[in-house]
Amino acid sequence: MALEQEFHSIDVTSSTSTVAIEGVDTQNLPKLPPAGKSQTQWQQVSQFLEQFPDNLNRFWQAYQLPLIAVVVVLAATVTLRVAIAILNAINDLPLLEPTLELIGIVYSTWFVLRYLLQASTRQELWAEIRALTAQVLGD
């Protein structure tokens, strides 16, 4: 019981056109563009690079305020993380953390005694704050 299979050789070098499978509608199948009209990949890259400054300028004009907001938020986040890392590094030094805490307690005590206990010194502090804000804001 030997099964016999027929093998037919196909001549790929012939210039005759091939026939589609019978019963298949070839009119609705997608077709590739003609070979002469396609752009090479280098031409597409070159065209993209030529249009890139114009596209970037249009993108900047359309989204200027949101981009600035994103950059400010990112810069603030990076700055805050760097400041926290520096403070943690300083706090890891022996005897520096308690010394800085003592300095903060002494200064806070002096500030309360100097400016906040008496009404006249509170008015003096308020006048200094108003003068400073006028100087900074240019009022």
Side-chain angles (χ1 to χ4, degrees):
M1 280 178 61
L3 294 175
E4 290 185 22
Q5 295 180 348
E6 268 186 50
F7 293 103
H8 297 284
S9 64
I10 299 173
D11 185 14
V12 293
T13 59
S14 70
S15 62
T16 60
S17 61
T18 59
V19 178
I21 300 173
E22 291 180 15
V24 175
D25 184 18
T26 60
Q27 298 297 324
N28 294 328
L29 293 175
K31 294 178 179 49
L32 295 173
K37 294 182 181 179
S38 66
Q39 293 181 336
T40 65
Q41 190 173 14
W42 288 110
Q43 288 173 335
Q44 291 175 351
V45 169
S46 173
Q47 185 180 14
F48 172 78
L49 290 177
E50 288 173 0
Q51 295 173 351
F52 184 73
D54 293 333
N55 291 338
L56 187 63
N57 189 22
R58 279 186 275 146
F59 182 78
W60 174 253
Q61 293 299 326
Y63 300 106
Q64 186 174 6
L65 291 177
L67 286 173
I68 290 173
V70 167
V71 168
V72 167
V73 167
L74 289 176
T77 303
V78 168
T79 303
L80 184 63
R81 288 192 175 242
V82 168
I84 290 172
I86 290 172
L87 289 175
N88 284 336
I90 288 173
N91 281 338
D92 287 341
L93 296 174
L95 295 177
L96 196 56
E97 181 181 6
T99 305
L100 292 177
E101 285 181 8
L102 183 62
I103 291 171
I105 290 170
V106 169
Y107 181 78
S108 298
T109 305
W110 173 83
F111 184 82
V112 167
L113 292 174
R114 168 69 176 93
Y115 288 109
L116 300 180
L117 286 182
Q118 298 176 354
S120 61
T121 55
R122 285 194 299 266
Q123 290 174 354
E124 178 185 341
L125 176 64
W126 184 244
E128 287 181 25
I129 291 173
R130 277 186 275 158
L132 182 64
T133 55
Q135 186 180 20
V136 170
L137 299 177
D139 291 337

